Amino acid sequence: SQQGEEDPQALSIQEGENATMNCSYKTSINNLQWYRQNSGRGLVHLILIRSNEREKHSGRLRVTLDTSKKSSSLLITASRAADTASYFCATAPSGAQKLVFGQGTRLTINP
Amino acid sequence: EAGVVQSPRYKIIEKKQPVAFWCNPISGHNTLYWYLQNLGQGPELLIRYENEEAVDDSQLPKDRFSAERLKGVDSTLKIQPAELGDSAVYLCASSLGGGKSDTQYFGPGTRLTVL
């Protein structure tokens, strides 16, 4: 079973625009991670945010975490064609040493 | 530093045939994971190893799936016999270990097609 639910399932924007993806989950967590997957390839880790953190930045990426709402968002600023991929949130449930992935958001950046 | 290596990248077999996937994790990573990813879905954990011990295999269909990690390094995932519904991408990942669900590094996956 998959705990996280990403929203939207698919997103198409113009190059240069910002892209926002959301993730909701059900149980308490140790941390939440975002991964990217290009077509036909493995997942690449983007960023990890711990349960006691509210916001984290990495380059053009900004992640927020609201544990009271059990939700997270991933913002990609100034999008590029190379950002076209599927993005997955993965939660690390408290007391369980594993990651539970959502179904992903398919992001398309149009040139 | 080399990443997680998986082979083969693609495999096509007929139903009821056996198939095996191989994974070599990043050097020094104690924890190894096998995931199954269906089209349009996120990965789902099949089994997790801490060194050579399978510590979470609750999602592994044990009637037809088996895995081993001899010597706590490379791992093999086997399906025997394969069914049509097993068509998917099988991902291997590794992490340093030590608990608390640290960052996982994924291989490119093996795409299995069962005819």
Side-chain angles (χ1 to χ4, degrees):
Chain A
S1 62
Q2 299 186 311
Q3 173 175 218
E5 291 186 6
E6 278 100 332
D7 172 58
Q9 291 189 5
L11 178 62
S12 181
I13 61 174
Q14 294 299 120
E15 192 169 17
E17 295 180 339
N18 296 340
T20 300
M21 289 158 273
N22 302 296
C23 170
S24 61
Y25 57 93
K26 300 174 183 176
T27 66
S28 60
I29 60 172
N30 288 322
N31 65 65
L32 184 146
Q33 304 178 33
W34 285 90
Y35 286 79
R36 181 187 71 222
Q37 185 175 38
N38 293 90
S39 179
R41 301 179 66 177
L43 283 84
V44 174
H45 181 262
L46 295 176
I47 197 165
L48 180 153
I49 185 165
R50 303 193 186 283
S51 59
N52 61 352
E53 297 176 310
R54 292 297 169 259
E55 187 171 312
K56 205 162 185 179
H57 297 255
S58 177
R60 294 184 296 113
L61 306 180
R62 172 177 168 250
V63 170
T64 62
L65 179 64
D66 187 334
T67 53
S68 67
K69 295 181 179 179
K70 292 186 169 58
S71 67
S72 174
S73 68
L74 170 67
L75 169 67
I76 304 174
T77 60
S79 63
R80 305 168 181 170
D83 294 329
T84 294
S86 290
Y87 291 80
F88 295 90
C89 75
T91 53
S94 298
Q97 296 182 13
K98 64 180 182 181
L99 289 179
V100 180
F101 286 81
Q103 64 186 16
T105 293
R106 290 179 297 281
L107 175 64
T108 302
I109 308 299
N110 302 305
Chain B
E1 178 182 284
V4 176
V5 179
Q6 289 188 250
S7 69
R9 290 294 310 278
Y10 304 92
K11 189 72 176 179
I12 301 174
I13 62 172
E14 294 188 347
K15 63 181 180 182
K16 301 185 181 180
Q17 294 299 306
V19 65
F21 315 124
W22 175 80
C23 173
N24 180 246
I26 293 173
S27 177
H29 281 195
N30 296 322
T31 307
L32 183 146
Y33 313 79
W34 282 103
Y35 287 89
L36 178 152
Q37 184 176 24
N38 288 306
L39 187 65
Q41 300 294 316
E44 297 182 54
L45 181 68
L46 290 173
I47 189 168
R48 174 171 66 94
Y49 281 92
E50 293 289 346
N51 298 303
E52 66 274 10
E53 181 182 359
V55 295
D56 184 354
D57 62 356
S58 57
Q59 301 303 312
L60 189 72
K62 299 181 183 64
D63 57 336
R64 297 184 300 107
F65 286 65
S66 64
E68 61 182 12
R69 191 185 184 196
L70 300 176
K71 301 181 181 179
V73 181
D74 295 1
S75 177
T76 302
L77 178 68
K78 298 179 181 178
I79 308 175
Q80 182 171 9
E83 297 179 352
L84 295 176
D86 296 331
S87 294
V89 176
Y90 292 83
L91 295 166
C92 178
S94 69
S95 66
L96 284 170
K100 297 188 178 181
S101 305
D102 50 341
T103 299
Q104 297 181 22
Y105 298 85
F106 284 80
T110 297
R111 183 176 297 276
L112 174 67
T113 301
V114 182
L115 303 176

